[in-house]
Amino acid sequence: MEKVQNDSLLLFPCPGCNAQLYFNPEHQKLECKYCGTQVAIDQSNNQIREKSLRQQLSVTGDPDAAIEQMVYKCGRCGSESVFISETPTFTCSFCNFEAVNPVAYKTRLIQPSGIIPFGIDKQQSITIFKNWLGRGWWAPGDLKEFARQDALHGIYLPFWTYDAQTFSEWTGEGGRHYYVTVEDRDANGNRTTRQEQRTEWIYRSGTYNTSFDDILIGGANELSQKEYESIFPFKLEELVNFDARYLSGFQADVYDISVSDGYAKAEKYMEQEIYDACVNECRIDTYRNVQVSTSYDNQTYKHILLPLWVCSYLYKNKQYHFLVNGQTGKIYGSKPVSAAKVVLTVIAVLLVIVAIYFFSQQQ
Ligand SMILES: [Zn+2]
Ligand SMILES: [Zn+2]
């Protein structure tokens, strides 16, 4: 097992008092908790470029560093802890000292080029979480005890963005409704007429060309794409060059969904959007048998890190997630439903229905 010297982890010592500096979302600077010294990070974005997907997919080979177990001797309390080298940030389990592990991103072929720094700090995310917990009548009363605030942690998760140009040919049938007068007889045998709808089908075809910009796909299996999308959008125009100092004081993760697997998800998304657009062109009053054939070109990608506040909690052996977009504060959460409250509500509704029925019979 490789023993990591303290200097192989990235430490950001305070120029004033030598304590560790952490990134402060409120001031968007590194800050010392002890003497208040602030250090600015250059927030330019000239390193963030779209890269050719085709070129990347032809690259084979191993990443710079293999994944291995490491022993870290804490710079503050001196105790030794074991951790895995693909962990981008490290917290000493004895004194909570946090350091950034620069080897982590080298265990993957593609390194992040951009990052959106946290804009929502821990205190704000706790307030958002508390408000959310108090809301909603269905939640069990003891939920607050289960969803402990210290379970809320700030983490930079890996994402892929994809661009592409698409060229599609489609065929289908557009349906035009028209009405015919049909003779009928009523209950007494008298002649009547009524209008009946018919559809005329017209063969149609066409081309549809469009381009997609920054389709955002989650790169970590921790959450599902649906859960990621629940806290979209991120303002990607605020991406800045990746700098490990932004990670100081937060957790981070490396990707486990590859650039090509991520692209497969992006292509499914594009396929659906294109199909919907072609259906729109084919439709008159209605449509059927729409077939689309698409070629994708000039695909590019970026690998970026985005900030999330995440809370996973167990309630009666079931896992629930609470998420906050670390840039915008948008929330998503799933909450257990109290069975007792549901039963009480159903009984109350039934009582009201019985009462209404009773009074209507009286009159
Ligand atoms: Zn200091
Ligand atoms: Zn320690």
Side-chain angles (χ1 to χ4, degrees):
M1 207 183 289
E2 188 189 343
K3 189 165 263 188
V4 186
Q5 294 307 311
N6 296 336
D7 56 5
S8 73
L9 291 182
L10 287 181
L11 305 175
F12 311 111
C14 170
C17 71
N18 220 29
Q20 174 82 328
L21 294 174
Y22 294 114
F23 181 72
N24 182 328
E26 193 191 342
H27 302 127
Q28 294 288 302
K29 283 176 182 156
L30 292 172
E31 206 166 272
C32 175
K33 286 173 184 168
Y34 300 98
C35 72
T37 298
Q38 292 184 342
V39 175
I41 303 177
D42 168 34
Q43 296 203 322
S44 51
N45 57 9
N46 55 336
Q47 303 295 314
I48 305 166
R49 291 195 197 95
E50 308 282 349
K51 291 184 191 153
S52 160
L53 184 70
R54 200 164 299 164
Q55 259 170 36
Q56 180 57 48
L57 294 182
S58 66
V59 173
T60 48
D62 295 321
D64 288 354
I67 298 164
E68 52 193 8
Q69 278 202 329
M70 296 169 119
V71 176
Y72 171 61
K73 191 167 187 291
C74 176
R76 189 200 281 162
C77 72
S79 59
E80 291 189 346
S81 324
V82 177
F83 73 108
I84 308 290
S85 61
E86 64 171 355
T87 318
T89 53
F90 171 81
T91 308
C92 172
S93 42
F94 298 95
C95 72
N96 284 333
F97 183 73
E98 290 160 296
V100 175
N101 170 25
V103 180
Y105 287 103
K106 292 184 178 156
T107 62
R108 296 293 187 272
L109 268 175
I110 302 168
Q111 266 91 72
S113 65
I115 185 169
I116 290 178
F118 270 93
I120 304 283
D121 64 21
K122 180 148 201 173
Q123 204 45 55
Q124 283 173 292
S125 70
I126 287 173
T127 307
I128 293 170
F129 186 45
K130 273 188 180 163
N131 288 341
W132 176 81
L133 273 181
R135 234 182 287 145
W137 199 75
W138 299 111
D142 59 352
L143 183 60
K144 275 189 186 184
E145 291 163 36
F146 285 86
R148 301 202 332 272
Q149 290 163 20
D150 57 1
L152 202 68
H153 57 272
I155 182 166
Y156 286 103
L157 287 177
F159 282 83
W160 302 104
T161 78
Y162 298 96
D163 295 1
Q165 280 173 291
T166 67
F167 308 91
S168 308
E169 292 181 332
W170 61 267
T171 59
E173 290 168 79
R176 181 177 284 125
H177 295 325
Y178 61 97
Y179 294 86
V180 290
T181 307
V182 186
E183 286 200 353
D184 209 353
R185 284 184 192 276
D186 66 14
N188 301 324
N190 299 322
R191 275 179 186 227
T192 57
T193 58
R194 62 185 167 83
Q195 296 285 298
E196 205 173 89
Q197 180 185 290
R198 302 278 161 85
T199 304
E200 176 195 8
W201 292 102
I202 300 150
Y203 177 84
R204 311 187 91 194
S205 67
T207 56
Y208 178 78
N209 302 330
T210 189
S211 58
F212 291 87
D213 184 34
D214 284 343
I215 299 171
L216 197 55
I217 304 290
N221 280 323
E222 290 184 51
L223 299 166
S224 67
Q225 179 67 18
K226 244 203 170 102
E227 287 176 304
Y228 288 125
E229 284 170 8
S230 64
I231 51 143
F232 284 1
F234 281 91
K235 289 181 263 175
L236 294 180
E237 61 275 16
E238 291 178 11
L239 276 166
V240 295
N241 295 342
F242 174 71
D243 186 320
R245 290 178 293 175
Y246 289 117
L247 308 185
S248 187
F250 295 95
Q251 295 175 25
D253 208 351
V254 289
Y255 64 82
D256 37 37
I257 293 170
S258 70
V259 66
S260 56
D261 290 349
Y263 177 70
K265 291 186 184 191
E267 203 170 281
K268 255 200 185 130
Y269 168 84
M270 290 188 272
E271 199 179 273
Q272 186 60 50
E273 294 275 298
I274 291 167
Y275 178 79
D276 292 346
C278 294
V279 158
N280 256 341
E281 299 210 346
C282 180
R283 181 204 308 268
I284 303 171
D285 294 316
T286 181
Y287 68 93
R288 70 182 185 192
N289 298 335
V290 173
Q291 304 275 350
V292 182
S293 142
T294 299
S295 64
Y296 299 82
D297 209 2
N298 290 331
Q299 297 102 316
T300 58
Y301 76 94
K302 291 193 299 276
H303 180 38
I304 56 174
L305 298 181
L306 299 178
L308 275 84
W309 287 99
V310 178
C311 173
S312 298
Y313 58 98
L314 277 176
Y315 184 83
K316 295 190 174 156
N317 284 330
K318 227 184 134 205
Q319 188 154 50
Y320 298 90
H321 288 301
F322 175 74
L323 309 172
V324 179
N325 181 317
Q327 179 189 32
T328 65
K330 184 177 176 187
I331 65 165
Y332 162 80
S334 55
K335 246 187 255 194
V337 165
S338 158
K341 285 184 183 176
V342 172
V343 169
L344 282 175
T345 306
V346 170
I347 291 172
V349 169
L350 285 177
L351 281 176
V352 170
I353 291 171
V354 169
I356 290 170
Y357 178 77
F358 182 76
F359 283 116
S360 69
Q361 291 298 304
Q362 292 285 303
Q363 283 165 5

